[in-house]
Amino acid sequence: MDTSEKKEERSFSNRNLTLIYLNADIGSVFDSQVAYLLKSISETAAFDRIIHLCGVKNQFEQERVSKALISLDIEVVFFKSYPNYPFYNGFQQRAILDAFKQAKAPKESHIHIRGELLASTALKPIMHVFYSLDNVVVDIRGAGREELSLYLKAPFWKVLLKKQNYRKAFERLKKFPKISVVSDALKRYILLNAQIPNSRIHVVHCLAGEHFTFNEENRKRIRNALHVKHGEKLLVFSSGGNAGWQNTQGLMLLLSDKWTILNLSKEVINEGGIINKFIPYSEVPDYLNAADAAIIFREKNIVNEVACPVKFCEYVCSGLPVISDTSVEEIVQYVNQSGSGLILENATEINSVDIDDLVDEDRKHAAKQGRITYGEGTIIRDYLNLYFN
């Protein structure tokens, strides 16, 4: 966030307000979408206190959260995160209630809940401690219920039990006055499945941090380290968690002697023309700089249709043109509106197109364009407006 943006956001300051951020998913995007979000909100001085109520499954997750937030002026209250089965709901409610009491936050606190399942179990504890839902935002990130059917490798009875909690969560969503979703397609999905008035649902995309921008020196340094030749086209695929919908194995369809693929994921693909490298999150911006274009090809289903992939936001904020299929509506909309990228019907079409013009675009201009939509300055402003209006 640049200086002018920080000054603009500081107009919210001096209100002596508290933000409670409630989360129980320490997944692959925790650093980029939770820790960085809290850091950026803290820098606006919009709140006198920020309290992170964080559900963890084990000591490893607790240590990871502590490390991510150690240098920030954010209070952390841990509670036990239970599995998503109906018979654990009572235990989860008790854990959240105890965490709220431990936080000792004022009754008028603003509460941001990441995920509809967590909001469902937090409903009664919030009413018990704060007596009102007026200042609560429920932040929905995707089609979680359908994700169970499509990607969870588990016996059918476990899937059915987990879906029970999703049905209950959608019923309880009607009680919350403010809901944020990451895409227009997800808004339509919530309108259809939860039958909530349109005015309560607000689109706030995933964010890309300030380090996701274009830097020519970093580009040269990483390309040299990777032994990429001058003029060689480098296409990047980045995945922090290797979930099924990210389709890492789909890279096999994109092999060509016209380019090299940089696979930044945990899943190694031993094929010529692919560089495999899994790196810390802090190094991802530099490696994106080294690439000429980014690739995202996914299965066509509702989970992908309503998504706002974090890596896509990071790609465009790094000035990368994105080559994708039509599976993710957010990507199709952005590429068509910005002109920065290429939309194909399927992955195999990439071998019949000339991408030279695509990769020679003005990267600095493209990065600036990406940050207007997905940069942290835009996303933080959207959340603050949602909290206070």
Side-chain angles (χ1 to χ4, degrees):
M1 189 179 296
D2 63 29
T3 303
S4 62
E5 288 173 327
K6 288 181 180 179
K7 288 180 179 177
E8 181 180 347
E9 298 305 340
R10 285 182 184 276
S11 63
F12 288 107
S13 63
N14 301 319
R15 296 190 183 187
N16 195 29
L17 296 174
T18 296
L19 173 66
I20 301 173
Y21 188 94
L22 184 60
N23 173 62
D25 179 13
I26 317 302
S28 62
V29 299
F30 176 83
D31 292 279
S32 66
Q33 301 302 298
V34 177
Y36 195 90
L37 174 69
L38 294 177
K39 167 185 175 294
S40 299
I41 293 176
S42 176
E43 289 174 351
T44 68
F47 293 96
D48 183 60
R49 293 174 69 194
I50 297 179
I51 307 170
H52 182 26
L53 261 62
C54 188
V56 293
K57 298 180 179 67
N58 50 49
Q59 186 64 28
F60 173 79
E61 288 191 346
Q62 182 166 331
E63 291 173 358
R64 180 183 167 192
V65 173
S66 297
K67 182 179 179 181
L69 301 178
I70 191 170
S71 62
L72 306 181
D73 187 21
I74 294 170
E75 304 169 44
V76 183
V77 177
F78 291 106
F79 63 90
K80 181 175 176 58
S81 177
Y82 289 87
N84 172 31
Y85 293 108
F87 38 80
Y88 284 115
N89 291 347
F91 296 104
Q92 190 66 80
Q93 286 178 341
R94 171 54 62 181
I96 293 171
L97 177 61
D98 290 345
F100 276 130
K101 290 179 177 179
Q102 185 178 340
K104 297 179 180 178
K107 294 290 187 292
E108 64 275 13
S109 296
H110 289 262
I111 302 174
H112 183 146
I113 310 175
R114 185 178 171 88
E116 64 271 39
L117 285 179
L118 189 58
S120 178
T121 50
L123 177 61
K124 288 183 179 179
I126 290 172
M127 292 303 298
H128 183 85
V129 176
F130 300 95
Y131 310 126
S132 171
L133 299 174
D134 289 347
N135 290 334
V136 179
V137 172
V138 179
D139 188 359
I140 302 178
R141 316 300 293 184
R145 182 176 58 189
E146 286 75 10
E147 184 183 316
L148 292 173
S149 300
L150 292 167
Y151 295 107
L152 180 64
K153 296 178 180 178
F156 78 95
W157 61 270
K158 286 189 175 183
V159 174
L160 289 176
L161 283 173
K162 288 176 178 289
K163 282 186 174 181
Q164 284 186 32
N165 273 350
Y166 272 102
R167 283 193 291 272
K168 186 179 295 184
F170 276 108
E171 268 303 309
R172 290 178 175 174
L173 272 180
K174 298 174 184 178
K175 299 179 180 294
F176 293 95
K178 297 179 182 180
I179 297 168
S180 71
V181 294
V182 295
S183 70
D184 292 324
L186 185 55
K187 180 174 181 176
R188 293 197 305 272
Y189 168 88
I190 297 299
L191 285 170
L192 177 65
N193 287 277
Q195 299 177 339
I196 294 171
N198 182 76
S199 60
R200 292 193 197 176
I201 308 176
H202 309 265
V203 177
V204 184
H205 300 302
C206 296
L207 67 84
E210 61 186 341
H211 299 298
F212 288 94
T213 187
F214 182 66
N215 183 291
E216 185 66 44
E217 292 303 314
N218 288 340
R219 172 179 170 80
K220 292 177 181 177
R221 175 172 57 84
I222 299 299
R223 286 177 75 91
N224 286 336
L226 294 173
H227 305 292
V228 177
K229 299 175 183 176
H230 179 71
E232 181 180 352
K233 297 297 187 295
L234 188 64
L235 307 186
V236 66
F237 170 86
S238 180
S239 168
N242 266 22
W245 57 84
Q246 291 167 332
N247 194 25
T248 308
Q249 282 298 318
L251 297 180
M252 297 290 292
L253 299 174
L254 309 177
L255 295 173
S256 172
D257 58 6
K258 294 188 291 186
W259 51 70
T260 299
I261 296 174
L262 175 59
N263 174 30
L264 300 179
S265 77
K266 294 179 180 179
E267 188 170 349
V268 174
I269 300 179
N270 292 313
E271 292 286 343
I274 295 183
I275 300 173
N276 297 287
K277 196 169 185 66
F278 187 70
I279 55 177
Y281 171 70
S282 60
E283 297 179 20
V284 172
D286 292 347
Y287 280 84
L288 296 188
N289 272 240
D292 297 292
I295 43 182
I296 300 180
F297 290 95
R298 295 189 173 187
E299 295 176 314
K300 203 164 185 63
N301 58 47
I302 187 63
V303 172
N304 290 318
E305 180 184 339
V306 304
C308 178
V310 172
K311 294 306 175 185
F312 166 69
C313 302
E314 294 171 352
Y315 292 155
V316 298
C317 287
S318 300
L320 282 168
V322 175
I323 305 172
S324 178
D325 56 18
T326 60
S327 298
V328 183
E329 183 181 297
E330 181 69 26
I331 296 176
V332 175
Q333 286 182 348
Y334 181 85
V335 170
N336 287 341
Q337 291 170 5
S338 68
S340 181
L342 184 64
I343 300 298
L344 307 174
E345 284 300 319
N346 57 71
T348 56
E349 286 186 14
I350 195 173
N351 294 296
S352 61
V353 299
D354 185 354
I355 67 169
D356 286 351
D357 291 340
L358 184 70
V359 302
D360 289 335
E361 292 180 353
D362 183 346
R363 287 282 294 274
K364 288 187 177 180
H365 173 75
K368 183 177 180 180
Q369 192 174 29
R371 294 195 62 76
I372 289 172
T373 305
Y374 304 109
E376 80 284 351
T378 297
I379 305 309
I380 298 308
R381 275 198 302 270
D382 288 346
Y383 275 130
L384 291 180
N385 286 329
L386 187 53
Y387 296 152
F388 297 126
N389 294 317

